[in-house]
Amino acid sequence: MPSWTDTVRFAFQPVVNLTTGGVAALEILARPEAGDILAQARRDPELDGRLAALAIQSAARKGTTLPLHVNVFAGTLADLGGLAALRGAVRAAGRLPWEVTVDIGPPYTHVPQHALLEAVATMRGDGFRICADGVGDGDVPLRLLTDLAPELVKLDVSLLARPAAVRAMRTLCEQLGALLSVEGVETELQCAAAVSAGAQLAQGDLFAPPARLPAADVYVPALSPGVAQTPPSGPSVLQFVRPAALLPATASAGRVRALLTGSPDVSGVLLVDSAGIPVRSVHRSRFLLSMSGPYGHALYADRPAAKLGDPPRTVGVDATAWEVLDVVADGERDRTSDDVAVVDRYGRCVGVVRLADLVRALSESRVEEAAGLNPLTRLPGSDVITTEVDRRIAHGRVFALSWLDVDHFKQVNDGAGFAAGDELIRAVGRALQLAASEATRVGHIGGDDFLVLADPDTLDPLASSVLDAPWSAGGRPVTLSLATILCAPGSVSDHRQAAACLAPLKQAAKSLSGASWVLGCAGLPGHEVRRGSGAAQAQAG
């Protein structure tokens, strides 16, 4: 009678990086030819663990060098206290633990959480990465999700119909240092929604369906990363991470050469120590050139590949794309094409970044940003500010949204001429930029109207710098009006509500004479007059 293992085949589905368009990893899916082995595995931890080991063996037979995702039920991990069969299969396949992500799936009901967390700690201690799978369509408790501190969270595609929930999950992932992925993507609209919500990874039939052979090419729609997900300091390096080709630090030059010649898409190899920390970086072209020279193979084949490597360039997972460019710029000129290793908080390599990906994406973002700049002041328009408002709301941050304009600007234009009016607007824009702190965003929304998004503790110096300046146009004295709404966490739901709270304060500021400033708090009646006639008096809302 045939064993159940004879009736199970495995399929591979690419996990796609939505920024680079490349394959970040392969998820290995069990496909029984008869019976419902998966339902049996849900009840039988030993069987489930054995399936995970067989998945690794199947990948080894296909010869893929990509990182792998294997699925296990939460109950399996808690019951077995780790996955001995999986660890053995990884060693036998010549793969390193940090090249394997364990996708922990529901159900979580009745799973002893303490045992599960201990097992996760064991797997992570061995170098395996942890993914919380099926979030949004399963029963994973939110508290347990934060305790797991996964490196990856996979959302069910159905959650895209609830954008607020996806944005909240993106915020949680940022706090945990995790990547966000959406699985089950079948249409370009779903892909666009995933990008807009801030997902860095995705998988589904749109890109490539599960197949018996690992897919080398995938279809990715031409999509630009959502502006809402790009912080002022620059996009996260995690958006650009590609799989790293990893070998032990003791690997011979012959083994590195075999990997490179068998994988033409690999640009370099990182040699890592027993903890997964990069110790040497082997550049493809320089290495193969050394090996192909006179007597190169005879000289180096059996010697450690580290002899032909360089010190690795590394950045942390919390780095921005601009920081990666700084690392490249500060290094040796002949190494500008080297991959930069991205390491986690333990120093272990989670992938590499290629300079070409960064330059292309940052150039595109600069073009998009330039297209949205006001031609008079070269300041961004309202979309950038309102997007950042929504980001701070999602992060639960207190913030101050201010509107500023020139008093009686039409009369200024009519009396001093439009050229003088334009110069005044440019001067106000420059003054706001000079007074702005690092976390302050300044936007010019048209005419004489400006928006300023700032932290509350930076308001006083900014207001004093701008309102106390002697403004004039064509020799005519000019004053400015400023209205500010303070928004505590939970006081507004989005930028539209914040703008609605700001509107009456704008009218109150315009009703005062001289340079004026009116301050209010979202959700509370009344406002305070900081400048202008009746200054320091509380006004009725």
Side-chain angles (χ1 to χ4, degrees):
M1 182 176 179
S3 167
W4 61 266
T5 58
D6 297 330
T7 67
V8 177
R9 299 293 181 266
F10 291 91
F12 301 85
Q13 185 167 47
V15 179
V16 176
N17 184 312
L18 293 174
T19 299
T20 66
V23 178
L26 294 171
E27 180 173 354
I28 314 173
L29 304 167
R31 291 290 186 262
E33 295 181 353
D36 194 351
I37 292 179
L38 295 182
Q40 184 180 347
R42 188 180 293 114
R43 301 185 298 269
D44 185 345
E46 293 290 346
L47 173 58
D48 193 30
R50 180 63 180 150
L51 280 174
L54 288 173
I56 296 294
Q57 294 171 11
S58 176
R61 288 193 293 271
K62 304 301 181 183
T64 178
T65 60
L66 286 166
L68 304 172
H69 286 239
V70 293
N71 296 282
V72 297
F73 293 108
T76 296
L77 204 52
D79 188 80
L80 297 181
L83 298 169
L86 173 64
R87 294 200 295 269
V90 170
R91 286 193 300 270
R95 300 301 294 261
L96 302 171
W98 36 90
E99 297 179 281
V100 178
T101 298
V102 179
D103 288 10
I104 306 174
Y108 288 85
T109 303
H110 307 307
V111 172
Q113 295 188 8
H114 182 71
L116 175 60
L117 292 174
E118 283 190 341
V120 165
T122 298
M123 299 298 295
R124 185 173 278 132
D126 287 344
F128 290 91
R129 305 192 188 284
I130 301 300
C131 166
D133 199 1
V135 175
D137 194 40
D139 60 345
V140 55
L142 190 57
R143 185 178 65 182
L144 177 61
L145 181 61
T146 58
D147 289 342
L148 286 172
E151 284 78 20
L152 176 65
V153 172
K154 287 187 178 181
L155 298 184
D156 185 83
V157 71
S158 63
L159 212 59
L160 292 177
R162 298 164 177 81
V166 181
R167 287 195 298 270
M169 191 56 62
R170 167 64 192 259
T171 300
L172 177 61
C173 285
E174 288 179 350
Q175 297 297 317
L176 296 174
L179 291 175
L180 182 65
S181 180
V182 177
E183 50 188 355
V185 175
E186 296 181 349
T187 67
E188 293 194 5
L189 284 177
Q190 289 175 336
C191 182
V195 172
S196 178
Q200 295 104 340
L201 305 172
Q203 61 189 102
D205 288 354
L206 172 68
F207 312 107
R212 292 292 174 86
L213 293 176
D217 298 310
V218 293
Y219 168 73
V220 181
L223 295 170
S224 298
V227 176
Q229 308 308 324
T230 302
S233 56
S236 168
V237 70
L238 291 176
Q239 296 181 23
F240 305 96
V241 170
R242 289 178 176 266
L246 303 176
L247 285 176
T250 56
S252 67
R255 185 174 178 186
V256 171
R257 183 177 184 274
L259 190 156
L260 291 176
T261 54
S263 306
D265 57 326
V266 173
S267 55
V269 176
L270 285 172
L271 304 178
V272 297
D273 65 15
S274 59
I277 299 173
V279 294
R280 300 294 283 179
S281 174
V282 178
H283 184 268
R284 179 187 187 90
S285 297
R286 293 197 299 273
F287 175 84
L288 292 179
L289 184 62
S290 297
M291 291 289 287
S292 62
Y295 311 109
H297 188 271
L299 284 173
Y300 297 115
D302 296 325
R303 298 182 65 186
K307 298 286 187 181
L308 297 175
D310 299 289
R313 292 176 170 175
T314 61
V315 296
V317 292
D318 56 350
T320 66
W322 294 109
E323 291 173 302
V324 178
L325 291 183
D326 288 340
V327 169
V328 174
D330 290 341
E332 300 170 24
R333 186 169 298 179
D334 62 348
R335 293 190 61 194
T336 54
S337 63
D338 287 20
D339 294 340
V340 176
V342 181
V343 297
D344 62 16
R345 59 183 180 272
Y346 304 107
R348 300 181 306 208
C349 180
V350 301
V352 295
V353 174
R354 294 181 182 176
L355 180 63
D357 289 337
L358 295 183
V359 172
R360 180 173 57 252
L362 294 176
S363 298
E364 291 172 353
S365 69
R366 282 292 182 256
V367 170
E368 293 174 0
E369 180 182 322
L373 297 181
N374 187 287
L376 184 61
T377 59
R378 307 306 294 167
L379 288 172
S382 60
D383 286 349
V384 171
I385 304 299
T386 55
T387 292
E388 180 62 17
V389 167
D390 285 338
R391 180 182 176 85
R392 297 194 188 191
I393 291 172
H395 284 205
R397 291 177 56 183
V398 60
F399 63 89
L401 181 64
S402 299
W403 162 90
L404 179 140
D405 81 341
V406 178
D407 294 328
H408 312 297
F409 184 65
K410 186 178 185 303
Q411 297 176 21
V412 172
N413 259 350
D414 292 344
F418 71 87
D422 285 353
E423 181 53 39
L424 174 63
I425 294 303
R426 281 192 288 265
V428 171
R430 288 194 296 269
L432 286 170
Q433 285 182 294
L434 288 173
S437 66
E438 184 177 347
T440 300
R441 305 300 300 272
V442 178
H444 183 192
I445 60 177
D448 62 322
D449 292 319
F450 295 86
L451 279 178
V452 181
L453 177 62
D455 292 335
D457 58 0
T458 65
L459 282 176
D460 284 326
L462 185 145
S464 298
S465 176
V466 177
L467 297 180
D468 290 344
W471 297 103
S472 64
R476 299 167 179 263
V478 172
T479 58
L480 308 179
S481 293
L482 179 67
T484 301
I485 186 72
L486 292 177
C487 299
S491 61
V492 290
S493 59
D494 58 20
H495 71 268
R496 297 177 184 83
Q497 190 174 1
C501 295
L502 185 58
L505 301 180
K506 172 182 174 181
Q507 298 303 319
K510 297 301 290 184
S511 69
L512 303 173
S513 61
S516 61
W517 181 19
V518 169
L519 178 70
C521 296
L524 299 178
H527 59 262
E528 177 187 352
V529 177
R530 292 282 186 94
R531 300 284 184 96
S533 62
Q537 298 176 11
Q539 304 282 324

